[in-house]
Each structure stands twice: as C-alpha cells, then as structure tokens.
Amino acid sequence: MRTPILACLFTSLALTAAPAQTASVTLFGTGCTYMSQPLAIGVQGLPQFGTMVSVTYTGPNLNNQLSIQPVLALGLAPTNIPIPATILPQQPLGCTQWIVPELLTLMPPTATGMFETHLDLTIPNDPTLAGFTFTAQWLAIVIQCGIVAPCWLQALPTSDAALLTVGL
C-alpha cells in the first residue's frame, strides 16, 4: 500500500528542517499485549530522499465478529501518556501513547479476512527536508459485534514507536 500523505506534511514543514543530516530510524517505548500478542512497529528502509520506507505492524489482526484493525499514527513529536486499563472493557495493562498523532491511517481489509499490516511512505526527493523528523506508532482498534446486538469499542492496544529522521 502506498500513500502520498506525507508529501503534504513534508512540504508544509520544509522550512523547519535542519541542515545536512544522515537518515535514521530509532525505535522507542514498548508495546502492550492483547490476546497474548505484543504489538510492535517495524521500519524497513531508511527515510532517504526519493525513497520509500515501509512501516510494518506486528500484533493481533482480525476482521470478523471480533475486529482488530491496525491503525498507523504519524506525528511530529514524541510523548509519554499511559492509557488507563479502565478506559475500555478489554483495555490491556501497559499501553502507552508514545507520539502526538497528527494523522491516522486505518489499514484496509484484505481478501484473507484480515487487515493490511504495512504502509509504504514515499520520502520526497527534496534536500530542504534534511533533518526533518517525524514519529510513527501503531494502535489497534478492537471492536466486538454481537449476533443481534450493536458493535462496541472494546480496547485500544498500542505498539512501541519510531522516530524517523529524513536525510542522506
């Protein structure tokens, strides 16, 4: 799955970028566990000018009466906000919001009865973006539907996060 979404974000923030910088990815924080599966973020590739970076999701993923849909959050700053286990009926312990989200991308369903588990981000070929940093984190929207009853939000488990720096 490809998206030009970051192009708009990059273009609007190009003036705040730092001078020449080496591209890097730094993982931080920890993910929580839901249905005995820890949520984790992965990044394949480096955010270098004119390349593509794939952000991957590992964790529970279902698309049926119990739906667990991965959502990629992208932002401009890290944070550290614990999510209370009492906020939703099945909310697991130890979940943390590690980034300040600016953009949420829900992963679409696949033909296999699950959801996509990665998103390809195109890094513009624009040297003025050298040193620009952005953050990424996965969360999963857990919805339980009854046979006759309506569907209800049950939990929002989260992954660890990534800090990506655009550069050479």
Side-chain angles (χ1 to χ4, degrees):
M1 181 176 191
R2 292 182 175 200
T3 181
I5 296 170
L6 280 184
C8 294
L9 186 63
F10 286 140
T11 303
S12 66
L13 298 169
L15 298 176
T16 63
Q21 181 81 30
T22 301
S24 66
V25 175
T26 305
L27 300 181
F28 64 98
T30 56
C32 58
T33 299
Y34 188 77
M35 293 184 67
S36 302
Q37 296 181 54
L39 279 71
I41 193 169
V43 179
Q44 297 174 350
L46 289 173
Q48 297 173 316
F49 307 122
T51 65
M52 191 175 310
V53 175
S54 185
V55 182
T56 59
Y57 168 82
T58 303
N61 182 346
L62 298 169
N63 187 11
N64 52 39
Q65 197 170 355
L66 175 64
S67 174
I68 305 173
Q69 184 175 16
V71 177
L72 180 62
L74 297 172
L76 300 173
T79 191
N80 181 349
I81 301 172
I83 300 172
T86 57
I87 196 168
L88 291 166
Q90 296 179 20
Q91 182 67 32
L93 293 170
C95 297
T96 303
Q97 177 184 330
W98 292 110
I99 73 166
V100 178
E102 303 289 338
L103 175 71
L104 299 175
T105 303
L106 282 77
M107 295 297 99
T110 66
T112 62
M114 299 176 78
F115 293 96
E116 289 288 342
T117 58
H118 78 281
L119 185 67
D120 294 329
L121 304 174
T122 302
I123 308 301
N125 192 12
D126 184 350
T128 64
L129 294 173
F132 174 77
T133 59
F134 63 100
T135 56
Q137 181 180 19
W138 290 99
L139 67 109
I141 297 175
V142 180
I143 297 175
Q144 176 71 54
C145 295
I147 295 170
V148 179
C151 299
W152 297 98
L153 180 63
Q154 296 295 308
L156 294 170
T158 57
S159 72
D160 52 342
L163 178 67
L164 297 96
T165 301
V166 177
L168 305 172

